[in-house]
Each structure stands twice: as C-alpha cells, then as structure tokens.
Amino acid sequence: METRTALVTGAAQGLGQEFAVALAGRGYRVAGLDLVPQPETAGKILDYVELTADVTDETQVRRGLERVIDRFGTLHVVVNSADIQPATPFEETSVEEWRRIMRVNLEAPFLVTRAALPYLKAAGRGRVVNIASAAVLTAPPTMVPYVASKMGLIGFTRSLATALAPYDITVNAIATGLVRDRQAVPRAQTPSDLISTLLYVVDEGSGFLTGQTLNVSGGSAFI
C-alpha cells in the first residue's frame, strides 16, 4: 500500500502539532505549515517537512506545497487547523481586525485547499479536514468575527464536499470546544481529545463521510 502524505497547517504548537504527530504515528509522512519554525514538532516526527510560511499568502502556500511534492511525490490529506481566536467587544472590533480574522480562519483554508487540489486529484483520492468551532452554536458575544469566520468555514466545507465528491475527495469539519493546554482545569478540552476524530475522518474506510461537521466539544459550555 502506498504511504500516505498529509499537510497540517498551524503545526508549530497546540492542536496542529498534535494532529501532525498523530498522523505520523498512523504511518503518514507529514508536512507542517506555520508562520513560525516548528522545531518541537519536527523533533517528534521522523519524516517531516517543515514549511515556514504565511497561510494567507497564496505564493508562499503554493511554494510550500511544491516542496512537499518534491520531497514526498504525492499528497492525500490536508488539515486546515491554523486559526486565530481574538476576543473583542463587537463595537471595538476594527475593520482591520475583522479582515485579519477572516483571512486566517476562512480565506487561508480556501487558499491551501485550492493549491493542494491538483495533488489530491492526482493521488486518486483525498481527505480535507477543516477545524471549525462549537462557538458557532454557543455564540460568545466577544467573538463575533471569529464565530462568523467559523460559520463560513462550515459552509465552505459543505459546498466543497459536493464539488469534490466526483474525485473521491471528502471534505469534513471538526468543531472543537475551547482547546486548552494540559495544565488547564479538569474537563477542559485538550488537543489529544480530538485525535481519534481526526483519524476517523481521514481513514480509508470513511470515504462515504463528507460535507459533515462533527461537533466534538465534550458537551461543555466552552467554545
């Protein structure tokens, strides 16, 4: 069986790092893309391509994917996990801040997925996973642009799934709760709580699961 290759954005730390390590543990060759270097992630993965790039820069994203193909020859999975989560009262949210949130949380998955699409098609099948948020249900009042961006990502997921179904490429979203580090209070969600869901979504046997948003928030009130 051909060794699968995955690209994970936001891989320097937190959720993206956990996803990258988990995929490597499942036998994937992994490339991580982040705005900053990823020495900690690279130290945990034997066969790793570290891409330091801005997910909102089309040229940097395209060049990063070319490096992945040069190294691994193919691409099967894209995990769009890079995001920003600022909390600001709506009336204090500037136009610049609104646009920055939309660019990172919504436009970047579009840019990364569009750049990866020719390689996913060439591989004969693929998985795109977008990291959304349960905040679209709880609607915290200080995160209006964040909620709007994640709701947009869910719509992007559903429509793109229909567009890519003929190519055996699935597109799904995972809506997380508030992801905290391991020193946080008990029952707060940690990145490791989401690994089994990610592995299920990208599994070879999940080819009939597409266009869905899996809400994995622990039944809590956290966003």
Side-chain angles (χ1 to χ4, degrees):
M1 179 181 294
E2 180 184 19
T3 302
R4 301 296 182 189
T5 300
L7 171 71
V8 180
T9 69
Q13 61 185 345
L15 191 56
Q17 182 182 100
E18 292 274 356
F19 282 168
V21 172
L23 288 165
R26 188 54 67 92
Y28 283 81
R29 300 172 300 187
V30 178
L33 190 154
D34 209 307
L35 191 61
V36 297
Q38 306 139 52
E40 184 176 337
T41 309
K44 296 179 178 182
I45 300 174
L46 182 61
D47 197 3
Y48 186 70
V49 172
E50 179 181 329
L51 306 171
T52 303
D54 183 347
V55 289
T56 68
D57 187 304
E58 182 178 7
T59 300
Q60 291 185 31
V61 167
R62 177 176 51 78
R63 289 175 178 170
L65 278 161
E66 289 172 354
R67 282 190 56 200
V68 175
I69 299 304
D70 286 344
R71 172 73 174 272
F72 295 137
T74 189
L75 180 66
H76 305 88
V77 171
V78 173
V79 182
N80 289 305
S81 62
D83 73 355
I84 52 177
Q85 303 179 20
T88 307
F90 176 69
E91 63 272 20
E92 298 175 17
T93 302
S94 66
V95 173
E96 291 75 18
E97 180 72 353
W98 174 276
R99 289 173 177 166
R100 184 173 76 95
I101 294 167
M102 292 298 167
R103 288 192 69 201
V104 175
N105 293 358
L106 184 54
E107 185 175 324
F110 158 72
L111 291 176
V112 173
T113 305
R114 187 179 66 171
L117 188 53
Y119 307 119
L120 298 176
K121 286 182 176 180
R125 69 178 63 185
R127 302 282 186 266
V128 177
V129 185
N130 298 316
I131 305 306
S133 173
V136 301
L137 302 175
T138 59
T142 60
M143 302 184 77
V144 172
Y146 175 77
V147 171
S149 70
K150 292 300 184 177
M151 186 62 83
L153 188 61
I154 290 172
F156 171 72
T157 298
R158 291 183 65 86
S159 188
L160 188 62
T162 303
L164 299 187
Y167 305 102
D168 201 13
I169 298 171
T170 67
V171 187
N172 291 289
I174 300 174
T176 73
L178 179 62
V179 179
R180 299 185 178 184
D181 62 32
R182 297 180 186 278
Q183 284 72 48
V185 297
R187 288 289 298 144
Q189 190 174 59
T190 65
S192 60
D193 293 322
L194 298 158
I195 288 174
S196 62
T197 304
L198 173 72
L199 295 179
Y200 164 63
V201 170
V202 303
D203 188 82
E204 291 288 315
S206 298
F208 217 63
L209 176 74
T210 194
Q212 303 305 304
T213 298
L214 286 71
N215 186 5
V216 188
S217 58
S220 71
F222 293 129
I223 58 171

